[in-house]
């Protein structure tokens, strides 16, 4: 696969001996103008990658906070094509890698080839399609690679050694290490078995290992970066966004609030 922004960001972080931070935002929440501003602010904070969640009415692993943001975005008329146009409009101003976190139902609705091509043309660097198991991802992985996109696979605490090896062989960009069982959402501490789960995957691959699910404080991020290559923070960001929306804050006020929170998280990766 040709070098892309996400891979370059990981290599730079490793060269500078610090961890990575990958925040998650829901596309079109509360609107696409805010999405564009957030992407630029998160990039300015120094994030290596940003996950952009595509709102979907029947998500499988997202907790109530992210599901609510999906509902609100869809109620506001979110359209995938409008997101692609938004990403294209700000891509030259954002150096972070951009990941499309998207259900296979959306991808199939477009057609896998068309979706991958449009995503790459808009400026995405990779796909995370959580509802496609590793033993069914060959076609998606090949099409993504042809388009210049990473195909990021997820590994859970319950994943067997044999399946870990298969994920390591077929994934690209990085491996998304799920820190805890269950759905996404904030938790009070990092899972006790994180170190052993990361070590199990580290033995299988040289790809960066980025940990998500339940990470929501600078202390969590620092602990994760002791074991893995970086942390993903999602629900804690979306909760703060919803608090801003409910409080009637402007788009700029919301972006400033989230930016300050992410600045604190980024500091913990150093």
């Amino acid at each position: 696969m040709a070098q892309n922004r996400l891979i370059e960001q990981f290599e730079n972080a490793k060269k500078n001996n610090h961890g990575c931070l990958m925040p998650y935002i829901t596309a079109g929440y509360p609107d696409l103008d805010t999405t564009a501003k957030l992407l630029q602010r998160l990039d300015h904070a120094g994030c290596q990658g940003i996950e952009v969640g595509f709102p979907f009415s029947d998500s499988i692993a997202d907790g109530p906070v992210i599901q609510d943001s999906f509902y609100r975005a869809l109620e506001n008329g979110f359209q995938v094509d409008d997101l692609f146009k938004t990403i294209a409009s700000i891509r030259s101003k954002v150096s972070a890698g951009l990941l499309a976190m998207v259900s296979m139902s959306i991808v199939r609705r477009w057609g896998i080839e068309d979706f991958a091509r449009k995503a790459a043309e808009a400026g995405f660097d990779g796909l995370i399609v959580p509802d496609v198991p590793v033993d069914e991802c060959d076609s998606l992985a090949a099409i993504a690679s042809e388009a210049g996109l990473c195909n990021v696979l997820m590994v859970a605490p319950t994943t067997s050694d044999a399946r870990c090896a298969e994920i390591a062989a077929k994934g690209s960009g990085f491996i998304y290490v799920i820190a805890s069982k269950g759905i996404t959402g904030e938790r009070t501490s990092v899972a006790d078995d994180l170190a052993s789960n990361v070590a199990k995957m580290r033995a299988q691959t040289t790809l960066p290992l980025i940990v998500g699910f339940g990470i929501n404080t600078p202390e969590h991020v620092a602990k994760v970066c002791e074991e893995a290559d970086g942390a993903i923070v999602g629900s804690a960001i979306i909760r703060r966004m919803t608090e801003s929306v409910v409080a009637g804050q402007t788009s700029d006020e919301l972006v400033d609030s989230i930016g300050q929170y992410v600045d604190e998280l980024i500091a913990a990766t150093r």
Side-chain angles (χ1 to χ4, degrees):
M1 179 192 295
Q3 187 85 319
N4 70 13
R5 283 167 291 246
L6 183 68
I7 294 171
E8 289 175 356
Q9 287 278 1
F10 286 146
E11 289 178 351
N12 289 337
K14 187 174 183 179
K15 200 178 301 178
N16 293 315
N17 198 32
H18 60 70
C20 300
L21 185 73
M22 192 173 295
Y24 168 99
I25 62 172
T26 296
Y29 181 61
D31 52 59
L32 283 170
D33 181 56
T34 304
T35 299
K37 292 176 185 175
L38 272 171
L39 289 171
Q40 292 172 82
R41 177 61 177 88
L42 298 176
D43 180 60
H44 179 73
C47 298
Q48 284 72 29
I50 305 168
E51 288 184 18
V52 180
F54 284 51
F56 183 58
S57 58
D58 192 26
S59 57
I60 59 168
D62 294 301
V65 171
I66 291 177
Q67 285 182 355
D68 178 65
S69 72
F70 282 1
Y71 173 78
R72 290 171 183 250
L74 291 169
E75 281 285 292
N76 289 341
F78 171 82
Q79 296 289 331
V80 172
D81 202 43
D82 291 338
L83 172 62
F84 286 152
K85 291 173 184 174
T86 298
I87 296 296
S89 73
I90 55 95
R91 181 68 264 199
S92 65
K93 305 171 188 174
V94 174
S95 58
L98 298 181
L99 282 300
M101 172 76 89
V102 58
S103 169
M104 192 62 184
S105 295
I106 295 174
V107 176
R108 284 202 186 98
R109 199 177 303 152
W110 278 68
I112 301 176
E113 292 89 349
D114 284 350
F115 184 90
R117 178 178 52 80
K118 288 283 285 185
E121 287 174 354
F124 280 101
D125 303 289
L127 305 177
I128 307 174
V129 189
D131 49 354
V132 176
V134 64
D135 43 7
E136 297 176 15
C137 80
D138 289 357
S139 176
L140 175 64
I143 292 167
S145 179
E146 181 68 23
L149 299 168
C150 300
N151 183 51
V152 177
L153 299 180
M154 307 173 88
V155 60
T158 53
T159 303
S160 68
D161 288 350
R163 204 165 181 83
C164 283
E166 193 174 2
I167 289 168
K170 294 184 177 181
S172 58
F174 68 95
I175 302 295
Y176 189 131
V177 179
I178 298 174
S180 52
K181 300 172 186 175
I183 57 177
T184 60
E186 296 177 71
R187 291 170 174 80
T188 56
S189 61
V190 175
D192 292 335
D193 59 355
L194 176 64
S196 60
N197 288 333
V198 168
K200 179 171 75 170
M201 203 64 214
R202 187 80 76 191
Q204 301 276 12
T205 183
T206 58
L207 288 173
L209 304 180
I210 313 295
V211 176
F213 281 50
I215 314 301
N216 55 277
T217 69
E219 291 75 20
H220 290 173
V221 171
K223 185 169 180 58
V224 165
C225 288
E226 289 175 5
E227 308 295 343
D229 299 292
I232 296 164
V233 179
S235 292
I237 289 174
I238 303 301
R239 175 177 62 79
R240 285 169 170 79
M241 291 175 65
T242 297
E243 289 171 353
S244 291
V245 171
V246 170
Q249 290 188 344
T250 66
S251 176
D252 288 344
E253 288 171 334
L254 182 155
V255 170
D256 184 58
S257 172
I258 298 303
Q260 290 183 43
Y261 172 57
V262 171
D263 287 342
E264 295 174 6
L265 299 175
I266 279 278
T269 68
R270 302 299 194 255

